[in-house]
């Protein structure tokens, strides 16, 4: 069994969450291999309770100091294997997601270009089933390698076992059970562009390349979404709510410009950013927590936002949307 990772005490976590909230970990360990994680779980240092698992901290709100153990996953791996009908990419959970997308494109393999410029680690991506511009990671995942904290063992979960749905998965629905240590991505051959999202529909599917799509997506994102390294944020703070078609019709009677997208089941997915902006929250906030002035769906830290500021703003936005539209917003980041 490998040596245990070093255990640190009273570690600041401000640099390990992209919203930049101040918090401290009672105990902290950096994991650089799946075997280290197994050894730690079997040791007294694990402590018997669930550990908080951190990757890039891009989909996380720290509501206070963390008692117990915080495990930072820093497992690195990147291997590309060609097969007859797909390109298979094995990635460690500690790899940067955007770097993986860019490296894959530079290697001449398309399939992830719609998911460029999304902050966070590879290990965090399946948890919330990241998606953007017409594509979800669930459509490109063959399997997920996990450590099962109930069984105390490593194993692989095929795509169908991961329970993927909109911004959700079995990993999110079973907090504390699974620690993702790696993924295998599957990029189908032949490559086909995904151009269903509004700003991409003008591209010619017969001539467009993966890099051209990536460039367009990156440009759209940079115009709408702040860089966490420049302005701390946790990305989209609320999920786009799904409502019955009849409710959308009622909303559009009063608000003809309401932005929504059809759902396969017959309902409609309302744009949460539009709802929030319609309630007057774009560019407004509480304390140093604010909804972004370019994209009302994103909550940002203007400097010294506290967890109390963030939670108060989230609650105020939810109340406004419910009062005006009768729609309940669901928070996208994990609250700890």
């Amino acid at each position: 069994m490998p040596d245990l990772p070093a255990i640190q005490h009273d570690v600041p976590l401000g640099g390990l969450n992209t919203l930049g909230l101040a918090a401290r970990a009672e105990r902290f360990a950096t994991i650089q291999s799946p075997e280290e994680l197994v050894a730690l779980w079997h040791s007294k240092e694990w402590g018997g309770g669930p550990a908080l698992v951190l990757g890039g901290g891009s989909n996380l709100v720290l509501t206070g100091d963390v008692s117990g153990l915080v495990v930072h996953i820093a497992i690195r791996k990147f291997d590309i294997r060609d097969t007859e009908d797909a390109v298979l990419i094995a990635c460690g959970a500690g790899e940067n997601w955007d770097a993986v997308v860019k490296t894959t494109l530079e290697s001449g393999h398309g399939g992830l270009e719609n998911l460029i410029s999304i902050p966070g680690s590879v290990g965090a991506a399946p948890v919330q089933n990241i998606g953007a511009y017409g594509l979800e990671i669930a459509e490109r995942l063959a399997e997920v390698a996990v450590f099962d904290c109930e069984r105390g063992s490593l194993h692989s979960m095929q795509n169908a076992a991961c329970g993927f749905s909109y911004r959700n998965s079995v990993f999110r629905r079973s907090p504390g059970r699974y620690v993702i240590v790696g993924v295998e991505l599957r990029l189908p051959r032949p490559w086909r562009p995904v151009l269903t999202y509004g700003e991409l529909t003008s591209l010619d599917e017969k001539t467009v390349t993966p890099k051209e799509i990536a460039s367009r997506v990156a440009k759209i994102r940079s115009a709408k979404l702040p860089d966490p390294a420049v302005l701390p944020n946790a990305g989209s703070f609320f999920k786009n709510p799904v409502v019955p078609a009849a409710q959308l019709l009622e909303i559009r009677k009063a608000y003809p410009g309401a932005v929504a997208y059809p759902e396969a089941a017959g309902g409609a997915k309302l744009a949460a950013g539009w709802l929030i902006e319609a309630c007057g929250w774009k560019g407004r906030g509480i304390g140093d927590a604010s909804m972004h002035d370019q994209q009302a769906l994103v909550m940002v830290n203007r400097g010294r936002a506290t967890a109390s500021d963030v939670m108060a703003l989230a609650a105020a936005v939810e109340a406004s949307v419910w009062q005006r539209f009768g729609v309940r917003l669901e928070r996208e980041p994990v609250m700890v």
Side-chain angles (χ1 to χ4, degrees):
M1 186 169 287
D3 293 337
L4 289 176
I7 305 297
Q8 300 173 269
H9 298 269
D10 192 29
V11 176
L13 300 176
L16 288 174
N17 72 99
T18 59
L19 195 49
L21 296 179
R24 305 187 77 85
E26 181 182 7
R27 294 181 299 127
F28 183 92
T30 298
I31 302 297
Q32 299 186 28
S33 73
E35 293 73 24
E36 280 191 348
L37 185 60
V38 174
L40 180 60
W41 186 87
H42 283 282
S43 77
K44 64 180 182 180
E45 296 292 351
W46 190 269
L52 171 62
V53 178
L54 282 181
S58 60
N59 192 46
L60 179 73
V61 174
L62 295 174
T63 59
D65 292 342
V66 182
S67 60
L69 179 65
V70 173
V71 176
H72 181 221
I73 302 298
I75 300 169
R76 308 298 297 273
K77 180 180 181 180
F78 185 86
D79 292 326
I80 295 180
R81 179 165 58 92
D82 287 338
T83 68
E84 200 169 307
D85 62 348
V87 176
L88 302 178
I89 304 173
C91 299
E95 296 287 349
N96 177 273
W97 172 256
D98 190 43
V100 165
V101 175
K102 290 174 179 175
T103 301
T104 302
L105 288 168
E106 289 303 317
S107 300
H109 303 300
L112 300 177
E113 54 280 349
N114 296 59
L115 303 179
I116 198 167
S117 299
I118 297 178
S121 67
V122 165
V127 176
Q128 65 168 134
N129 185 20
I130 61 170
Y133 303 96
L135 184 70
E136 293 181 339
I137 192 176
E139 299 170 73
R140 296 291 185 261
L141 270 175
E143 62 182 45
V144 179
V146 303
F147 176 75
D148 189 330
C149 295
E150 287 188 5
R151 300 178 182 177
S153 61
L154 296 163
H155 64 95
S156 292
M157 297 174 65
Q158 300 299 306
N159 185 299
C162 297
F164 290 120
S165 59
Y166 173 62
R167 299 297 182 271
N168 214 338
S169 69
V170 68
F171 312 113
R172 184 162 187 169
R173 290 190 291 270
S174 305
R177 176 166 182 179
Y178 300 106
V179 180
I180 295 175
V181 297
V183 305
E184 183 174 82
L185 300 163
R186 184 182 186 277
L187 312 185
R189 292 180 181 274
W191 171 79
R192 291 185 177 89
V194 177
L195 303 175
T196 55
Y197 187 84
E199 285 105 320
L200 301 182
T201 56
S202 62
L203 297 173
D204 187 344
E205 65 177 10
K206 296 180 180 178
T207 60
V208 72
T209 67
K211 286 187 176 181
E212 287 172 343
I213 295 173
S215 178
R216 175 72 65 89
V217 169
K219 186 176 181 180
I220 295 169
R221 289 187 69 92
S222 66
K224 292 182 176 181
L225 304 173
D227 183 347
V230 178
L231 183 60
N233 70 87
S236 299
F237 202 88
F238 298 100
K239 299 179 182 180
N240 290 324
V242 176
V243 299
Q247 186 174 1
L248 175 62
L249 288 175
E250 287 301 312
I251 290 173
R252 281 185 166 162
K253 286 181 182 178
Y255 303 91
V259 179
Y261 309 94
E263 276 286 293
K269 186 181 291 183
L270 284 165
W274 183 90
L275 295 170
I276 295 165
E277 183 173 350
C279 290
W281 283 105
K282 187 175 184 179
R284 290 178 53 213
I286 294 175
D288 267 1
S290 171
M291 306 314 293
H292 192 238
D293 52 14
Q294 295 297 317
Q295 171 52 274
L297 185 57
V298 177
M299 188 185 295
V300 301
N301 180 349
R302 295 290 182 188
R304 296 185 178 180
T306 65
S308 295
D309 293 337
V310 169
M311 301 304 282
L313 177 56
V317 169
E318 290 162 1
S320 293
V321 171
W322 171 251
Q323 183 176 18
R324 177 167 292 195
F325 297 104
V327 174
R328 295 198 183 279
L329 292 181
E330 184 179 349
R331 298 171 191 179
E332 189 164 315
V334 175
M335 308 286 159
V336 177

